[in-house]
Amino acid sequence: VYSAAIGTYVSRIATVIGHPVSPSVSALSAVTLDGTDPVFTGVPSATTIATDAGSLIGGTVTNPGVTASDNCSGSVATTFAITYPDTTTATTWPASGVFPIGTSTVTWSATDALGNLATATRTFTVANHQLLDVSMTFFGGMSAGSTRSIRVKAGANTQVIPVTFTVTGGVGSGSATVQIPVAASYSCVSVKDTVHSITKSAVPSVTGARYSASMVIRQGDSNDDDMIDIVDFGAYLADRGAGKAVDARSNFNSDALVNTIDFTFLTLSFFHVGETCGAFDGPMPRERVSVRELRRTGQGELIAADLNGDGWVDLADIQLYMQQGAP
C-alpha cells in the first residue's frame, strides 16, 4: 500500500471500528509485467520453386509444422493464414501441399496468456516453369573436359545452354538443369551439341517434382545439319592441326589436336542422322559434294579434302586419306 499526503489531508489505517493500526512497513521488490512475445520454431525461409513435373497447377511445399513457446506460458498454440496469388485466403495447408503458380503469403500467429502477439510472414513463389534434369555421356573416348553448347528441345521450346563435361576413365559426361514450359507431360526431349554431335532424344521420366532424361551423344556433325557425312569429313581435314581449343570444331575428343583420333569419331558414326524423338527421319546424309558447291556456299576451306583432285569430295577421298593420310 502506498499513500501520499494530499494537501493538508493525512492518510491513516484503522480498523473498521476506528482503532488505529500501526502497519509493518517493508520495501517490496519491483513487479514486472510480461511483455515478451512468444518465439517461433521451424519458420522456413521465403522460397521460390518450380511447378511440379506433370502438374498444371503449381508446386509442392511441405507444411513446416511451425511451433511457438513463451517465457511464461510455455507452449503456445500457433495458427496461420494463407493468401494465394488470386487474393483468396485459407487457414489450412493446401491439399497435398500444392501451392498455385504465383506468390502466396503465409503468416503464422501465436498469442500468450497476457495477449502478447507474435507473427512471422513468409512468401512461397511457384514459378511458371518446370525443371528438366538432363544427363549426357559422349559416345567414344574423351581426353579432357570441356564446355559445350547444348541445344535442348522439349515440346515446342528450344534453348541452347553451356554444359561442362568432365572426363573420368576416358568417359566424358555432363549434366544440366533446364527450365521448360509447364505441361501436363512431355513425351520426348532431345539434346544436341551444336558444334559436334547429332541429336539424341529420350522419353523423360518424372523423378520427384522434376523431369529427368539420360542420353548418349554421338559426335561427328561439325556443321550442325544433324547428320554425319562427307561435309563433316571435309571440315575435319580442313581443321587438322595442333593448338586447338578443347571445344573447337572437329575436336571431338577435347584434346589440343585435331588428328586421326578425331577421325575415328567420324568413321564410327558415318551416315548417322539425328533422332527426332525416337525416329530417324532426318535428311539423307551426303556421300559426295562438289568443289564448285563448296565455293558457292562459302565453304572453300573444305576443298582441301578433294585429295584426288577430281572436283568432288567423296568416299574416294576418304579411302585415299585412310591409305595415305593427308598432304
Side-chain angles (χ1 to χ4, degrees):
V1 176
Y2 175 77
S3 298
I6 303 175
T8 59
Y9 295 97
V10 177
S11 297
R12 295 184 176 91
I13 297 177
T15 67
V16 294
I17 60 174
H19 293 289
V21 175
S22 296
S24 175
V25 179
S26 61
L28 298 176
S29 59
V31 177
T32 304
L33 277 178
D34 172 29
T36 302
D37 296 338
V39 177
F40 291 111
T41 299
V43 178
S45 300
T47 187
T48 297
I49 62 172
T51 299
D52 290 347
S55 172
L56 297 176
I57 300 173
T60 302
V61 179
T62 301
N63 188 338
V66 174
T67 59
S69 61
D70 183 68
N71 61 321
C72 286
S73 304
S75 179
V76 179
T78 303
T79 61
F80 61 82
I82 304 173
T83 301
Y84 292 117
D86 62 358
T87 71
T88 59
T89 60
T91 55
T92 57
W93 209 255
S96 302
V98 176
F99 279 69
I101 295 172
T103 299
S104 299
T105 302
V106 181
T107 298
W108 288 269
S109 302
T111 305
D112 66 14
L114 288 181
N116 295 308
L117 172 65
T119 61
T121 299
R122 298 291 186 270
T123 57
F124 298 103
T125 300
V126 180
N128 191 23
H129 63 249
Q130 293 166 327
L131 296 179
L132 167 66
D133 296 322
V134 184
S135 299
M136 295 157 281
T137 302
F138 282 128
F139 176 77
M142 303 292 289
S143 296
S146 62
T147 298
R148 302 290 186 87
S149 294
I150 302 297
R151 181 183 295 120
V152 181
K153 290 185 178 181
N157 179 263
T158 301
Q159 52 190 299
V160 178
I161 60 172
V163 177
T164 298
F165 286 80
T166 58
V167 176
T168 302
V171 178
S173 59
S175 62
T177 298
V178 187
Q179 297 179 3
I180 57 177
V182 173
S185 64
Y186 280 95
S187 60
C188 178
V189 297
S190 64
V191 298
K192 183 186 189 303
D193 182 334
T194 60
V195 183
H196 304 90
S197 84
I198 54 177
T199 299
K200 180 65 177 178
S201 65
V203 178
S205 58
V206 176
T207 304
R210 305 153 80 114
Y211 293 105
S212 63
S214 180
M215 290 93 154
V216 177
I217 303 175
R218 282 186 176 270
Q219 297 189 87
D221 178 20
S222 294
N223 62 345
D224 202 21
D225 62 359
D226 216 15
M227 55 186 175
I228 301 171
D229 61 7
I230 197 66
V231 178
D232 301 301
F233 170 72
Y236 159 73
L237 277 189
D239 294 339
R240 287 175 72 249
K244 304 295 182 177
V246 292
D247 61 345
R249 186 182 75 168
S250 302
N251 190 4
F252 303 120
N253 72 332
S254 294
D255 60 5
L257 306 167
V258 174
N259 59 9
T260 305
I261 295 176
D262 300 293
F263 179 65
T264 62
F265 283 82
L266 290 171
T267 59
L268 289 172
S269 301
F270 206 65
F271 287 160
H272 276 70
V273 298
E275 296 178 5
T276 304
C277 291
F280 293 90
D281 56 359
M284 182 66 67
R286 302 178 65 177
E287 63 181 41
R288 65 198 318 244
V289 59
S290 70
V291 168
R292 180 178 297 180
E293 179 181 343
L294 292 174
R295 288 198 181 99
R296 186 176 66 252
T297 57
Q299 302 178 84
E301 78 276 9
L302 274 58
I303 295 173
D306 180 18
L307 299 180
N308 61 4
D310 64 354
W312 292 88
V313 177
D314 55 18
L315 300 182
D317 297 300
I318 294 180
Q319 181 180 1
L320 281 174
Y321 175 73
M322 294 180 71
Q323 291 172 340
Q324 305 176 15

